[in-house]
């Protein structure tokens, strides 16, 4: 049987030409694919500085050091993100989560460290969480309340920080009890005491510190909610969200977040799991 060598060589040549063309197309696609870092720099550094909202009302995320300067895991992450983007960083300090969300909405900050909540999603884009913390209830030692499930009853008044993640959560979930809002999360326990309320609600670590400070109070066992802390950016800044999403996953996987929590003496906050690929 004879084989037409010309057809064979012609097919091989055509195949080589096709493969070379395909390779060039792939290179071209790679060259034109948007660079998330470049897009993030545009969206986060429009003023020449990365303006990071730091919530000093949540001691898990940030507090003041002996020199009065902000410190904590959110501060460390803000500085590292700015370093990687080649931007100067401005730490814009707030005393409540509600004020942080207002600043994101007004676009007077470029990113914020906030709890994920569906209400806030109307105004911001989130990364996956980097730490998970717990919301707890505080009562007086002589309170008849023993379980979290006992709280939602008519006549029970719960002090909460206005605009906080647990305020938003309890606003949706509480059916019979009444919410009484403090101006900031650190003011919750003092409001609870001064107005003789039945319950104070907040971040467990904040309430534990308050219990030591004021005495004659106790936390109910367990938690009433899990709070997922993430980075948020103003709505529509999807390039920034994409880059920060990858940044946060790297910071979790590399041990950066865990080391920061340990360095700042934060207990009770769990490292969030890696994002599941979709």
């Amino acid at each position: 049987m004879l084989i037409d060598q010309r057809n064979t060589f012609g097919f091989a040549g055509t195949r080589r030409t096709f493969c070379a063309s395909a390779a060039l197309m792939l290179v071209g696609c790679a060259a034109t694919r948007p660079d998330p870092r470049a897009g993030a720099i545009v969206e986060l550094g429009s003023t020449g500085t990365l303006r990071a909202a730091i919530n000093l009302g949540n001691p898990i995320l940030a507090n003041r050091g002996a020199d009065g300067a902000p410190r904590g895991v959110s501060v460390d992450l803000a500085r590292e993100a700015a370093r990687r983007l080649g931007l100067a960083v401005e730490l814009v300090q707030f005393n409540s989560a509600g004020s942080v969300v207002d600043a994101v909405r007004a676009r007077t900050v470029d990113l914020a460290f906030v709890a994920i909540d569906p209400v806030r999603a109307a105004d911001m884009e989130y990364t996956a969480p980097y730490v998970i913390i717990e919301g707890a209830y505080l009562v007086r030692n002589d309170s008849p309340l023993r379980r979290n499930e006992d709280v939602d009853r008519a006549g029970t008044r719960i002090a909460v920080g206005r605009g906080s993640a647990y305020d938003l959560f309890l606003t949706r979930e509480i059916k019979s009890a009444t919410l009484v809002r403090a101006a900031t999360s650190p003011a919750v326990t003092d409001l609870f005491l001064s107005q003789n309320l039945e319950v104070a609600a907040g971040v467990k670590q904040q309430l534990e510190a308050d219990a030591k400070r004021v005495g004659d109070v106790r936390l109910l066992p367990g938690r009433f909610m899990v709070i997922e802390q993430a980075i948020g950016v103003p709505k529509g800044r999807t390039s920034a969200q994409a880059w920060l999403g990858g940044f946060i996953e790297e910071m979790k996987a590399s041990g950066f977040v865990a080391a920061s929590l340990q360095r700042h003496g934060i207990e009770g906050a769990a490292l969030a799991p890696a994002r599941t690929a979709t």
Side-chain angles (χ1 to χ4, degrees):
M1 180 176 179
L2 298 176
I3 299 176
D4 189 337
Q5 297 292 333
R6 291 173 300 173
N7 289 341
T8 302
F9 294 149
F11 173 76
T14 301
R15 183 178 179 182
R16 283 193 297 271
T17 301
F18 173 79
C19 291
S21 299
L24 288 172
M25 290 175 63
L26 289 173
V27 171
C29 290
T32 59
R33 185 179 298 130
D35 178 1
R37 180 177 177 275
I41 292 171
V42 171
E43 293 181 353
L44 296 174
S46 59
T47 65
T49 300
L50 176 64
R51 301 168 300 175
I54 302 298
N55 179 16
L56 295 169
N58 185 337
I60 297 295
L61 303 183
N63 53 57
R64 295 190 189 281
D67 59 356
R71 59 191 294 276
V73 63
S74 61
V75 174
D76 292 345
L77 286 170
R79 287 175 171 155
E80 180 63 14
R83 185 188 70 80
R84 293 184 175 217
L85 292 171
L87 296 170
V89 64
E90 177 186 359
L91 303 177
V92 186
Q93 300 169 49
F94 297 90
N95 292 320
S96 70
S99 298
V100 169
V101 174
D102 288 343
V104 174
R105 186 181 296 119
R107 298 176 183 255
T108 56
V109 297
D110 301 305
L111 62 80
F113 298 86
V114 292
I116 295 174
D117 185 272
V119 172
R120 293 173 178 170
D123 299 302
M124 68 177 74
E125 314 281 359
Y126 291 115
T127 66
Y130 58 95
V131 295
I132 297 173
I133 59 181
E134 298 177 331
Y137 290 133
L138 180 79
V139 300
R140 290 175 177 79
N141 282 339
D142 61 0
S143 171
L145 301 176
R146 297 292 170 186
R147 305 178 307 148
N148 292 321
E149 294 78 11
D150 298 336
V151 170
D152 190 10
R153 295 178 178 177
T156 298
R157 296 165 299 168
I158 308 170
V160 298
R162 185 181 304 277
S164 63
Y166 49 91
D167 178 15
L168 298 176
F169 175 84
L170 293 175
T171 297
R172 293 191 298 270
E173 298 298 323
I174 289 294
K175 307 304 179 186
S176 301
T178 302
L179 300 180
V180 181
R181 293 175 173 85
T184 66
S185 296
V188 163
T189 297
D190 291 337
L191 177 71
F192 157 74
L193 293 173
S194 66
Q195 295 194 16
N196 199 32
L197 305 179
E198 287 72 35
V199 180
V203 174
K204 178 178 282 188
Q205 285 79 0
Q206 178 70 62
L207 295 181
E208 288 173 338
D210 287 344
K212 294 177 181 178
R213 174 173 62 88
V214 304
D216 199 32
V217 294
R218 58 184 168 85
L219 271 68
L220 296 184
R223 65 195 185 196
F224 69 83
M225 72 173 295
V226 172
I227 303 170
E228 295 182 317
Q229 292 289 339
I231 297 181
V233 297
K235 196 72 175 178
R237 294 187 179 178
T238 53
S239 293
Q241 178 198 31
W243 185 85
L244 288 167
F247 167 76
I248 279 296
E249 293 307 310
E250 183 180 344
M251 294 299 95
K252 290 188 293 187
S254 69
F256 183 99
V257 173
S260 178
L261 292 171
Q262 183 178 19
R263 182 168 59 256
H264 296 297
I266 302 302
E267 298 179 355
L271 181 68
R275 188 203 320 248
T276 302
T278 57

